Amino acid sequence: MGRRESNSAAERERQESNTLRILAEEYRVIHGTPPGNHNLETLGNLYGAVHALRDGDHPQPRAALCLSGGGIRSASFALGVLQAFAAKGLLDRFHYLSTVSGGGYIGGWLTAWRRNNAAAALAELNKRANALGREPEELRGLRANSNYLTPKLGLMSADTWAMAALYLRNVLLNWLIYLPLIVAAILVPVLAQTTMAAAIYWPAIVHHTFLLGSALLLVMSLNTSIRGRLASTRKDRVTQGRFLRQELLPLYVAAMLICLYSVGEYRTHAHRTFFNTVTIGSGAVVAAVLYLTAWLWFARSRGRLPDEWLKLIAAWTVSGAIAGALIGWGIEIASDLASSSPPPNSVRLVVVFGVGWIAGSLFIAEAVYLGLTSYTPKSDDDREWLARSSGWFLALSIGWALLSALVLFAPNLRDACQQWFWALVPIGGGAGAIAAGVGSSAKTLTGLFDRKNGESVSMTAVLTVASIVFLVALTVVIGKGVDTALDWWIGMLGQYPRDFANIGTAVAVGAGLAICVAIVVGLSVPINVNRFSSHSLYRNRLARAFLGSARGEAGLDSDTRDPLTGFDARDNPPMSELATASVDSNGHPRLFHVVNVALNVVSSKNTAWQERKAQSFVLTPQLAGNEYVGFCDTKEYGDGITLGTAMAISGAAASPNQGYHSSPLIGLIMTLFNVRLGWWLGNPKYPRKAMRAGPKWGIFQVAKELFGLTDDDNAYVYLSDGGHFENLGLYEMVRRRCHMIVVSDGGCDEKCAFEDLGNAVRKIWIDFGIRIEFKKIEIKKRGVDKALYCALGRIYYPELDGTKREPGYVLYIKPGFHDNGTEPPDVCAYALANLTFPHETTADQFFSESQFESYRSLGKFIVDTILGEPASQPDKSAPTVALQPYWKRLSEYITQYDSGPPAAKLDQPI
């Protein structure tokens, strides 16, 4: 077995150990001591203990209730579902409550209410409180806060203006970091231009020092390439991080030094012939060839020398000479450009294209080398390795050329279009607002992997163009301000204007760059990357609306509630205190709350995750984490993460990095507009970091958000909406081997395409090898009369194969409206006035009273319809699942449009 295979086996063992830890702890909390000989020391034993819960005279099959994402729409619908189950005495039979995003709003409300008064939560959830027929205060609070972001509507509402003020304040504080960061990026090409213009008049010894330095850096870069391609052991090979540090960065610096050397050539060596210039340019390659020879000789002494080493040296020499000749030719061209007009304008083309010329020269030389060595045994490996390195060189060249050209030629563009210049402000701002606003809806970013139709491609193209227009306009407009500020700054320091080449001008520009960097670093500590995102605004209002309502009259009369804002820190309990939220007769909690979030890995090295770009990550009363990064005690994680924070992270739909909906370009725009609901927390791999509430130096995390560089390897991870991985909460319940899983899917799915269900079933099969099968799904879009509100599927757990045990079941419930008058009259009235009901856009988070009540009423009606009344006699043929008393009615409902076997025969896949 190779070393890579061993590492993979070790990684799988670590993941299995992490999974066993959380599942075993949850088993002990929820079920107590396992029966018989199930010691929970292996996953096999644990799964056996879970399935053994269905045995005996009083079986307790593990059951879960999943409340999906979908914002306030899903929360309203799920409230009706909860009330219907409570009325039937079924709600406290669910061991798990799994919530995602909007489902977490109402799930958090229920958990908080049960924490405060477990008995009242179940007894009063569907009852009127007194003779006046009023609902309990916990429910009345929900209705009062259905428009939870701004409870009081209207232009003159304090809530509306407070929300606007908070958003603008946070944008302003973030731009105190973004603006100097952007200015610093703009100053880099300006510094290159002024330095190069001044270098024209420096002594020849300085120019030759540049040439020598570039040769050494090229040798360093080539050294990395040689080791990466010829190393025979894993530890000698080059990782991507090492490649960027030890090959790409030295190449970039070497290219700039060669450019500095080249612009002085017309003064110090005005009569040089092309042949002599090429000879000088080839000098660095000679050194590289000598190094390669020495490296191969060393390899020979260790018995790792390739058989074709002499031919490799010959091919390297020829291709190196070509690279040197092309670099020398570039030096000659740069010299001519420098002598064609006064500096600094004469060197702009050298700054823009110099890096690309060096990279292009090496690319051509590599092509020649590959052609000459195509017969060698490792030629395929060389082609792939050099293709990857050339791709990075190409990206660097194009990126640098675009930035420097946009910065250095912007003054000419402004002068030519003076009357149109300020039009860039509204045009660019409008394009950015469109990209940030529309792009914040994950449904608009669904990639080509998910929807291969013209509409999806068209929306992606529009958002991409809008993002590019905004970035160009932003660079040009800020560049105008940078020009004005530089002229003032250089004049204040007593230096010549930038139209004249002078070392003092270059130093002044460098000092401005250093000041910008110092501002960015200095402000990134007090301006916390988490606290001044939009997350806090969102979380505080969620906690006030849902968790505050759960406190009932005691919360309203609390001395700690601020009379001006309505906020109270006591609304938001720690997650670690929720394991005892509800206790049954055996002393074990039910409805154990699992909050599902997404750990974003947009830049993951796992190529199989290029579509999903996220991992499942759970926040429970016991532990927080996943099998890849490990788990941390929830009491310590994030300095004691609260239920409100967990709810807000799980509902952070509008985030620059959003799992399989991520678009790095649009994510950059969303970051600049502070459309950031996600949260940076410590990686459970690093326990000391995991205990912090967030990163101390937020600038590094901001950069990762800006450029889509989130992963699970660093000290801090980026958590966002659980729907960015799986929107139903089903994935984690299947992992826990639940025997009956009820899913309330309140996601927006007007066409009944079942994207969320398909995504969950697909990932469960890929990751766990567990099949979920539906015989038929009769849920249809609005207007179809012969349609159902639910579907029943079977879960085939692999450890049950070959046994007589029943499979698990999933009852999938989805809101629907059939236009045939079967729904309640108030629901019909609202539906006829709102033709997209019950799948109104998730962007609408400002529900009215009629809107909230229509979804709640529909949820309760649907559960009552599909379950009916309990059977008068126990149904011995029914499976041992939590819905056993209602199984006959459920099976009849599911099969009413089925021409297959009678409903009573449940021995076939459903």
Side-chain angles (χ1 to χ4, degrees):
M1 179 182 292
R3 182 165 182 171
R4 174 175 291 185
E5 293 173 339
S6 299
N7 286 342
S8 297
E11 178 64 19
R12 288 194 297 270
E13 184 177 347
R14 187 181 67 83
Q15 293 172 15
E16 183 174 322
S17 175
N18 289 333
T19 302
L20 177 63
R21 178 189 174 190
I22 187 172
L23 297 189
E25 287 201 25
E26 288 180 6
Y27 186 99
R28 295 186 183 99
V29 169
I30 298 172
H31 304 292
T33 304
N37 59 350
H38 300 290
N39 53 26
L40 307 186
E41 293 181 358
T42 66
L43 277 178
N45 282 348
L46 187 143
Y47 294 152
V50 172
H51 294 309
L53 295 171
R54 305 173 77 170
D55 299 336
D57 296 333
H58 302 284
Q60 293 289 326
R62 182 176 274 192
L65 177 60
C66 302
L67 308 180
S68 81
I72 188 65
R73 180 193 60 248
S74 177
S76 305
F77 178 78
L79 173 60
V81 172
L82 291 174
Q83 289 180 314
F85 278 117
K88 296 179 183 301
L90 294 175
L91 190 57
D92 60 347
R93 299 187 68 177
F94 291 104
H95 298 89
Y96 281 100
L97 176 65
S98 177
T99 65
V100 184
S101 191
Y105 303 173
I106 202 67
W109 168 80
L110 178 63
T111 297
W113 189 5
R114 293 172 62 245
R115 171 181 178 267
N116 300 327
N117 193 332
L122 291 178
E124 300 178 11
L125 185 60
N126 196 40
K127 294 181 180 179
R128 296 289 172 170
N130 52 43
L132 295 177
R134 291 179 178 175
E135 292 177 314
E137 194 60 48
E138 291 81 358
L139 282 163
R140 294 182 65 194
L142 281 184
R143 294 187 185 278
N145 288 280
S146 61
N147 188 19
Y148 65 94
L149 291 174
T150 56
K152 290 186 180 296
L153 297 173
L155 186 61
M156 301 308 295
S157 165
D159 287 326
T160 301
W161 286 104
M163 183 176 174
L166 279 171
Y167 174 75
L168 293 175
R169 182 198 65 188
N170 290 348
V171 169
L172 174 62
L173 287 170
N174 281 283
W175 271 84
L176 291 178
I177 295 177
Y178 298 157
L179 185 60
L181 187 64
I182 295 170
V183 171
I186 290 174
L187 286 177
V188 172
V190 176
L191 178 61
Q193 180 193 23
T194 53
T195 303
M196 205 166 293
I200 291 177
Y201 301 103
W202 293 350
I205 184 64
V206 177
H207 298 147
H208 289 110
T209 302
F210 291 152
L211 186 62
L212 177 61
S214 67
L216 293 175
L217 289 169
L218 282 173
V219 170
M220 181 187 299
S221 179
L222 291 171
N223 168 46
T224 304
S225 177
I226 294 168
R227 292 179 68 88
R229 291 183 290 111
L230 299 182
S232 58
T233 61
R234 183 179 179 85
K235 70 175 184 178
D236 291 333
R237 292 174 186 153
V238 177
T239 62
Q240 180 168 290
R242 188 176 173 187
F243 168 84
L244 295 176
R245 294 189 304 271
Q246 299 182 9
E247 181 165 357
L248 192 65
L249 180 61
L251 176 65
Y252 170 77
V253 178
M256 296 307 298
L257 290 177
I258 290 174
C259 291
L260 285 170
Y261 166 79
S262 65
V263 296
E265 281 297 281
Y266 88 95
R267 287 186 65 252
T268 56
H269 302 284
H271 302 292
R272 169 169 288 122
T273 65
F274 174 72
F275 176 77
N276 289 334
T277 304
V278 169
T279 302
I280 291 176
S282 302
V285 180
V286 172
V289 170
L290 292 175
Y291 176 83
L292 174 64
T293 305
W295 195 90
L296 288 173
W297 187 262
F298 174 74
R300 181 185 181 187
S301 68
R302 302 181 65 178
R304 299 200 305 263
L305 183 65
D307 295 335
E308 306 85 359
W309 67 279
L310 285 175
K311 295 178 181 178
L312 290 175
I313 290 178
W316 193 264
T317 303
V318 172
S319 59
I322 292 174
L326 292 172
I327 292 172
W329 185 22
I331 293 173
E332 186 75 13
I333 295 173
S335 298
D336 292 340
L337 286 173
S339 62
S340 61
S341 62
N345 294 332
S346 59
V347 298
R348 285 189 297 185
L349 289 175
V350 180
V351 173
V352 173
F353 297 109
V355 175
W357 185 279
I358 304 300
S361 300
L362 294 179
F363 177 79
I364 294 172
E366 287 175 353
V368 173
Y369 173 80
L370 290 173
L372 294 175
T373 59
S374 59
Y375 54 86
T376 61
K378 292 192 64 177
S379 62
D380 285 341
D381 294 339
D382 280 352
R383 280 195 293 273
E384 291 297 333
W385 207 98
L386 292 174
R388 178 63 61 91
S389 66
S390 296
W392 276 107
F393 295 156
L394 182 63
L396 173 67
S397 303
I398 293 176
W400 172 257
L402 290 174
L403 174 64
S404 55
L406 194 59
V407 171
L408 299 181
F409 287 96
N412 300 80
L413 178 64
R414 290 194 295 267
D415 294 340
C417 306
Q418 186 65 37
Q419 67 274 26
W420 298 103
F421 171 71
W422 291 111
L424 287 174
V425 175
I427 293 173
I434 291 172
V438 180
S440 64
S441 173
K443 292 296 183 182
T444 66
L445 299 179
T446 304
L448 296 177
F449 288 110
D450 297 314
R451 295 183 184 179
K452 300 182 182 296
N453 55 51
E455 181 182 355
S456 175
V457 174
S458 176
M459 178 59 72
T460 302
V462 168
L463 294 177
T464 301
V465 170
S467 300
I468 293 173
V469 169
F470 171 75
L471 291 174
V472 171
L474 180 71
T475 304
V476 173
V477 171
I478 293 181
K480 171 70 173 177
V482 170
D483 285 344
T484 304
L486 272 180
D487 290 339
W488 170 83
W489 172 249
I490 292 170
M492 188 185 74
L493 295 179
Q495 301 300 326
Y496 291 105
R498 281 184 294 154
D499 291 339
F500 296 89
N502 183 278
I503 183 59
T505 303
V507 171
V509 175
L513 176 60
I515 291 173
C516 289
V517 173
I519 292 174
V520 170
V521 173
L523 291 179
S524 64
V525 175
I527 301 179
N528 185 282
V529 66
N530 284 336
R531 301 297 178 190
F532 293 102
S533 69
S534 296
H535 172 96
S536 295
L537 180 155
Y538 175 56
R539 180 199 61 197
N540 293 344
R541 280 149 184 77
L542 276 179
R544 178 179 64 182
F546 291 92
L547 306 186
S549 297
R551 295 176 63 192
E553 294 183 3
L556 289 175
D557 298 334
S558 173
D559 293 337
T560 56
R561 188 170 302 281
D562 190 287
L564 179 64
T565 65
F567 291 113
D568 186 347
R570 295 177 63 184
D571 291 343
N572 195 4
M575 278 289 295
S576 59
E577 296 180 4
L578 303 179
T580 57
S582 175
V583 181
D584 63 12
S585 57
N586 295 323
H588 301 299
R590 293 292 176 94
L591 290 169
F592 184 88
H593 199 165
V594 176
V595 179
N596 297 271
V597 302
L599 189 161
N600 284 267
V601 287
V602 177
S603 63
S604 172
K605 298 175 183 177
N606 188 338
T607 55
W609 291 352
Q610 292 179 90
E611 181 182 3
R612 61 174 68 180
K613 299 177 185 177
Q615 302 168 0
S616 176
F617 190 98
V618 296
L619 299 168
T620 78
Q622 297 295 115
L623 297 171
N626 67 23
E627 71 270 32
Y628 301 105
V629 299
F631 291 92
C632 179
D633 289 344
T634 305
K635 189 174 183 179
E636 299 177 347
Y637 189 61
D639 195 25
I641 191 168
T642 63
L643 177 58
T645 298
M647 286 167 51
I649 294 173
S650 180
S655 297
N657 293 258
Q658 43 188 320
Y660 64 100
H661 300 296
S662 296
S663 168
L665 181 60
I666 298 170
L668 189 151
I669 307 300
M670 292 172 64
T671 301
L672 294 177
F673 277 82
N674 203 32
V675 185
R676 300 169 51 240
L677 297 180
W679 198 252
W680 285 96
L681 282 174
N683 191 334
K685 283 183 182 179
Y686 307 94
R688 293 182 61 184
K689 302 290 186 183
M691 290 188 289
R692 294 181 178 176
K696 183 177 180 180
W697 295 88
I699 184 60
F700 302 108
Q701 280 66 44
V702 168
K704 287 179 179 292
E705 275 190 77
L706 276 170
F707 302 110
L709 299 177
T710 52
D711 58 34
D712 62 351
D713 291 327
N714 290 292
Y716 293 94
V717 292
Y718 187 67
L719 305 178
S720 68
D721 193 320
H724 295 158
F725 177 80
E726 193 268 299
N727 201 40
L728 300 180
L730 177 62
Y731 182 92
E732 289 294 337
M733 296 302 100
V734 171
R735 185 203 298 275
R736 285 157 174 76
R737 297 312 197 259
C738 292
H739 304 115
M740 184 69 210
I741 304 175
V742 176
V743 177
S744 170
D745 181 7
C748 184
D749 187 14
E750 186 176 357
K751 297 180 180 179
C752 286
F754 306 107
E755 180 183 347
D756 290 335
L757 179 61
N759 174 62
V761 170
R762 184 186 309 115
K763 286 176 178 172
I764 287 169
W765 167 249
I766 292 172
D767 294 351
F768 305 145
I770 296 174
R771 293 181 294 115
I772 299 180
E773 294 183 358
F774 291 85
K775 182 177 181 181
K776 197 172 184 180
I777 298 179
E778 291 284 359
I779 302 172
K780 307 295 183 181
K781 65 181 181 180
R782 175 172 170 165
V784 179
D785 291 338
K786 290 187 176 182
L788 304 179
Y789 295 115
C790 68
L792 189 66
R794 287 195 174 193
I795 310 170
Y796 292 94
Y797 294 119
E799 62 271 11
L800 298 183
D801 289 348
T803 70
K804 295 182 179 180
R805 291 185 182 272
E806 299 171 86
Y809 292 89
V810 55
L811 176 60
Y812 175 72
I813 302 173
K814 197 174 186 69
F817 184 75
H818 299 159
D819 282 348
N820 57 5
T822 57
E823 290 83 6
D826 57 330
V827 174
C828 291
Y830 181 84
L832 294 175
N834 299 271
L835 298 182
T836 57
F837 177 85
H839 294 284
E840 293 169 289
T841 174
T842 309
D844 180 8
Q845 292 294 294
F846 303 87
F847 265 32
S848 63
E849 180 183 36
S850 59
Q851 203 171 6
F852 178 87
E853 173 58 20
S854 296
Y855 280 97
R856 185 212 63 81
S857 179
L858 179 64
K860 187 175 186 306
F861 167 78
I862 285 177
V863 174
D864 288 340
T865 299
I866 64 179
L867 293 185
E869 298 298 326
S872 57
Q873 297 294 329
D875 185 358
K876 296 181 180 180
S877 65
T880 54
V881 294
L883 302 183
Q884 186 174 16
Y886 298 87
W887 194 256
K888 182 177 181 180
R889 164 61 184 167
L890 174 62
S891 60
E892 290 174 348
Y893 178 82
I894 291 290
T895 56
Q896 63 181 291
Y897 299 124
D898 187 6
S899 58
K905 293 186 177 180
L906 296 175
D907 57 340
Q908 298 297 320
I910 293 179

